[in-house]
Every structure is written in structure tokens, then in C-alpha cells.
């Protein structure tokens, strides 16, 4: 009996010595990005016992892959509620992985929203509401992702496109495109922002759009028909003096030569 107690004491002593060493090593691995931090216990009810245990063991990426594949299967079965809930788990497990946020938003703002809008079994008013709710859900997903990845150009670009194409909020679309420019320094996103500002009903934003596009025109960065047409419209709206307006870029119509020869 005495030997058993001595053995137990030795094991406890070794454990007490080993625990801080393992904890220090774990912290170093997490700092180096080789091991994930423990998952919030609030997710336990959403995961199976095995998945939860695996996530606590630093296997978040593996569990996230499993929940992602389950979300894909739910998408194939047109189960939008399950798609959303599984992507919530996936993004919670891997919040710094852009693809999960972007795809989760795409499923809600495009796939699910379009599905409900075209569902002839549902009343038109309800269809419209469901469309709007799922577009908003897609926007909320991207905003949540940007809390973790504020300098991710892809997420800002996806947000801008949803504001432009799905919820039709040009001011917000323009602001998101300017965030893409802030990150990428690609001038075309300034032009995209200008086109959206020009779609608003705010004269102050028209002026901002005009300044952006006029600057691009002066630098000869871009003189596409869309830029020229938008500038012309803005000149009219803002009452730009005639002498300050850009010249008309339309080429005069060429007259086909006559076969009758010169008139006498």
C-alpha cells in the first residue's frame, strides 16, 4: 500500500512539473501560428462531442473543413437555414480564412436570396421580404468577417458588389470600393466608387464623383465611354461652366464620297 502511495506521489509530482512546461510550449506554438487557441465553450452545443474535443485539441482547421463540407451538402439539398448555421460554425472555427466568409456571404446574398425571390409557391410580398433578409444576411456575414480581417480587399470588394448589385445602395457600395482602393492602390476602384456616387441623389456625392473622374481623365489613366458619359452627365447636373467641360469625344460622322463628281 505504501509503495502505491509513493508511486502516486511521484506521478503527481511529475505532472506538476510537466504541466507548466507543456503550457509554455503551447503558448509558443500559438504565438508562431502553429496551433490554434482553444475554442469558446459557447460553441459546444453546436458541435458533436468528438468535434468539440478535436477543436480543443487545436484541430480547428480540420473540424472547420468537416463543417464546410456539411454546408456544401446542405447547399446541394437547398437547405438554406442549415447552410447558414454550418457556415457560422465554420467561420467561428477559422475566422481568419477569407474564403469561408466570402462563400458564406455569397450563398446567402445570391443563392438563397434568388431562390426565395423566384419561388412561385410563395406570395410575392413574402418573396420580396425573404430576398431582402438574405441579402442583408450576406452583408452581415461580410461585416463580421471584416472585424477579423479589416484589410482584406476581397471581402471589401464582395461587400461593394452586394451593395451595388443586390441591395442597390450606391453610397455604401462606393465607400466599400474606396476601401478596396485603400488596400490595393488600384485606381480602377476609385472609378468604381465614382460611378456609384454618381448614382446617388446627393449633389455633394456627385461633386465627389466628378472630381474623381475628372482627375482620372486629366491623367489619361482611363477614357472609356462609361467614364466620358458619366462625366458629361455630371457636368450637366453640377452646372459646370461650358469652358471647363471636357470636349465632346464623339467623332463627326464621315460622309461617304459621292460618285457623281463635283458640282459645276
Amino acid at each position: 500500500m505504501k509503495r502505491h502511495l509513493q508511486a502516486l506521489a511521484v506521478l503527481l509530482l511529475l505532472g506538476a512539473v510537466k504541466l507548466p512546461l507543456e503550457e509554455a510550449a503551447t503558448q509558443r506554438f500559438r504565438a508562431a501560428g502553429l496551433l490554434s487557441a482553444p475554442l469558446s465553450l459557447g460553441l459546444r452545443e453546436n458541435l458533436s462531442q468528438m468535434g468539440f474535443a478535436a477543436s480543443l485539441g487545436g484541430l480547428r482547421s480540420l473540424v472547420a473543413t468537416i463543417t464546410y463540407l456539411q454546408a456544401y451538402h446542405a447547399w446541394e439539398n437547398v437547405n438554406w437555414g442549415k447552410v447558414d448555421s454550418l457556415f457560422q460554425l465554420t467561420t467561428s472555427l477559422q475566422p481568419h480564412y477569407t474564403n469561408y466568409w466570402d462563400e458564406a456571404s455569397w450563398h446567402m446574398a445570391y443563392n438563397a436570396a434568388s431562390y426565395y425571390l423566384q419561388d412561385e409557391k410563395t406570395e410575392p410580398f413574402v418573396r420580396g421580404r425573404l430576398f431582402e433578409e438574405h441579402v442583408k444576411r450576406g452583408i452581415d456575414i461580410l461585416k463580421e468577417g471584416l472585424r477579423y480581417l479589416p484589410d482584406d480587399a476581397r471581402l471589401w470588394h464582395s461587400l461593394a458588389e452586394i451593395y451595388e448589385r443586390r441591395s442597390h445602395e450606391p453610397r455604401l457600395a462606393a465607400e466599400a470600393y474606396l476601401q478596396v482602393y485603400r488596400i490595393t492602390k488600384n485606381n480602377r476602384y476609385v472609378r468604381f466608387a465614382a460611378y456609384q456616387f454618381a448614382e446617388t441623389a446627393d449633389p455633394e456625392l456627385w461633386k465627389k464623383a466628378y472630381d474623381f473622374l475628372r482627375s482620372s481623365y486629366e491623367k489619361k489613366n482611363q477614357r472609356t465611354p462609361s467614364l466620358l458619359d458619366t462625366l458629361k452627365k455630371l457636368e450637366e447636373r453640377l452646372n459646370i461652366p461650358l469652358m471647363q467641360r471636357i470636349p465632346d469625344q464623339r467623332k463627326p460622322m464621315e460622309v461617304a464620297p459621292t460618285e457623281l463628281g463635283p458640282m459645276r
Side-chain angles (χ1 to χ4, degrees):
M1 183 68 178
K2 186 176 181 181
R3 288 182 179 179
H4 289 302
L5 291 174
Q6 288 175 339
L8 181 59
V10 170
L11 289 174
L12 290 173
L13 180 60
L14 290 175
V17 172
K18 185 180 178 184
L19 186 59
L21 294 175
E22 289 183 339
E23 180 62 21
T26 298
Q27 294 300 328
R28 286 198 299 273
F29 287 145
R30 285 174 183 158
L34 300 175
L35 191 64
S36 301
L39 183 66
S40 169
L41 293 178
L43 290 175
R44 182 166 190 167
E45 61 189 22
N46 296 313
L47 294 170
S48 67
Q49 254 186 337
M50 185 177 295
F52 183 74
S55 64
L56 289 179
L59 298 178
R60 281 191 181 192
S61 61
L62 176 59
V63 180
T65 300
I66 294 170
T67 56
Y68 170 78
L69 293 174
Q70 290 175 336
Y72 184 85
H73 182 66
W75 168 60
E76 290 181 320
N77 292 324
V78 200
N79 189 337
W80 301 116
K82 196 168 184 180
V83 169
D84 190 20
S85 63
L86 285 167
F87 264 110
Q88 286 183 60
L89 283 176
T90 305
T91 52
S92 295
L93 289 162
Q94 288 288 88
H96 296 283
Y97 188 53
T98 301
N99 286 5
Y100 289 152
W101 293 109
D102 198 26
E103 189 167 338
S105 172
W106 173 67
H107 277 302
M108 293 296 106
Y110 291 91
N111 291 339
S114 295
Y115 171 85
Y116 285 115
L117 188 63
Q118 298 168 12
D119 183 9
E120 296 181 355
K121 298 177 183 178
T122 307
E123 292 294 327
F125 173 74
V126 177
R127 277 190 262 168
R129 287 292 301 274
L130 289 171
F131 173 86
E132 292 174 1
E133 287 175 4
H134 283 82
V135 169
K136 184 179 182 302
R137 176 65 188 138
I139 290 171
D140 289 343
I141 289 169
L142 289 174
K143 286 182 175 179
E144 180 68 15
L146 286 165
R147 286 181 56 239
Y148 293 94
L149 301 163
D151 295 323
D152 192 294
R154 178 175 167 184
L155 294 185
W156 280 113
H157 187 272
S158 294
L159 183 61
E161 288 190 330
I162 293 179
Y163 281 137
E164 177 184 354
R165 302 174 183 179
R166 306 299 278 178
S167 64
H168 305 293
E169 298 174 272
R171 181 183 64 81
L172 295 177
E175 291 171 356
Y177 279 129
L178 289 178
Q179 290 291 338
V180 182
Y181 169 72
R182 173 182 64 82
I183 298 163
T184 65
K185 304 305 179 188
N186 188 325
N187 286 318
R188 71 174 182 161
Y189 293 108
V190 176
R191 294 193 297 275
F192 290 172
Y195 295 143
Q196 291 303 302
F197 280 140
E199 293 294 321
T200 69
D202 187 342
E204 291 186 7
L205 296 182
W206 296 347
K207 182 62 168 62
K208 185 176 287 191
Y210 175 80
D211 290 341
F212 284 155
L213 295 179
R214 186 62 188 252
S215 175
S216 182
Y217 175 85
E218 296 293 347
K219 294 174 182 176
K220 298 183 179 181
N221 287 339
Q222 188 70 260
R223 291 190 177 181
T224 62
S226 57
L227 182 143
L228 298 174
D229 288 345
T230 305
L231 266 178
K232 284 294 185 184
K233 291 175 183 176
L234 290 169
E235 286 174 340
E236 292 291 334
R237 290 185 204 166
L238 295 169
N239 295 316
I240 302 296
L242 292 176
M243 295 299 294
Q244 296 179 21
R245 298 188 181 188
I246 65 172
D248 194 339
Q249 301 293 316
R250 297 188 185 89
K251 292 182 179 179
M253 184 183 299
E254 295 184 2
V255 180
T258 179
E259 298 179 358
L260 298 179
M263 293 182 65
R264 294 175 183 257

